[in-house]
Amino acid sequence: MKLELRFFASLREGLGLSGETITAPAEVKTIADLRDHLVQRGNPWAEVLASGKVIRCALNQVMVSDSTALVEGAEVAFFPPVTGG
Amino acid sequence: MQNDFIRIQEQDFDLTAEVKALRKDDPRVGAIVTFVGTVRDMNDGSQVKGMTLEHYPGMTEKSLEEIIQQARGRWDLYKTLVIHRVGPLLPEDQIVLVAVTSAHRGEAFAACEFIMDYLKTAAPFWKKEETPEGSKWVDARVTDDAAMARWK
């Protein structure tokens, strides 16, 4: 599945990357699967996306949960809890 | 006629001019409630010399539209305005403006507070503060989640 990844704030800085296009393997079906898949790349991914860290995710610019199913061609963003206002 | 206005911008805003424009030619209005958020010089025990606000272009506007539609589902509102600044800011600078017009104050007060509480937990903005100990990303507050939860 082709996905457009975006990273913001401390995650963007920790990864040194604001985004990339990937083709995820067939077993990656949900947000949680995608996070695990990226963690398996090793550092800095393992450190920045570690399972204990509170990270928010948006699918096509709508906030979603870990169990949300991915869709072909989606824009998937990872970021820390928001602190504006 | 457009009734909801959302602006993400680097430049400052003028509260008086914004309120004047929002209520212009609208004699139905009996109440205008505004909230202005500003940069403090202290946060979490550290002196704040300045900050930078980052956002998620595209999602920011969509999430603010969603927040305003939820407010409209709860209260009778005439017009709404949200201005959120991004980029570098200094202590005393204005960060955010929420303005709501309605026939009566009760609806305008509640809607303004609701929009602000939802914005704090659902709109993709992040603050990075410059302190004497270096720069650091601001952590989300548990109190912001609690403020949002009371509207459920």
Side-chain angles (χ1 to χ4, degrees), chain A residues 1-53:
Chain A
M1 187 176 346
K2 196 175 173 188
L3 299 168
E4 193 72 38
L5 306 185
R6 309 280 306 267
F7 307 102
F8 290 94
S10 55
L11 272 65
R12 174 180 51 75
E13 280 191 352
L15 296 172
L17 188 72
S18 60
E20 67 173 302
T21 305
I22 66 163
T23 302
E27 64 267 25
V28 173
K29 296 186 185 334
T30 66
I31 296 290
D33 293 345
L34 175 61
R35 188 166 163 180
D36 290 344
H37 173 68
L38 294 172
V39 161
Q40 281 165 24
R41 287 174 163 182
N43 281 334
W45 300 87
E47 195 177 321
V48 171
L49 298 177
S51 60
K53 293 197 171 169

Side-chain angles (χ1 to χ4, degrees), chain B residues 113 117-118 120-121 142-152:
Chain B
E113 193 166 21
D117 283 347
Y118 260 65
K120 292 288 285 185
T121 54
V142 174
T143 51
D144 289 338
D145 286 336
M148 200 265 275
R150 72 199 158 116
W151 298 103
K152 298 255 177 192

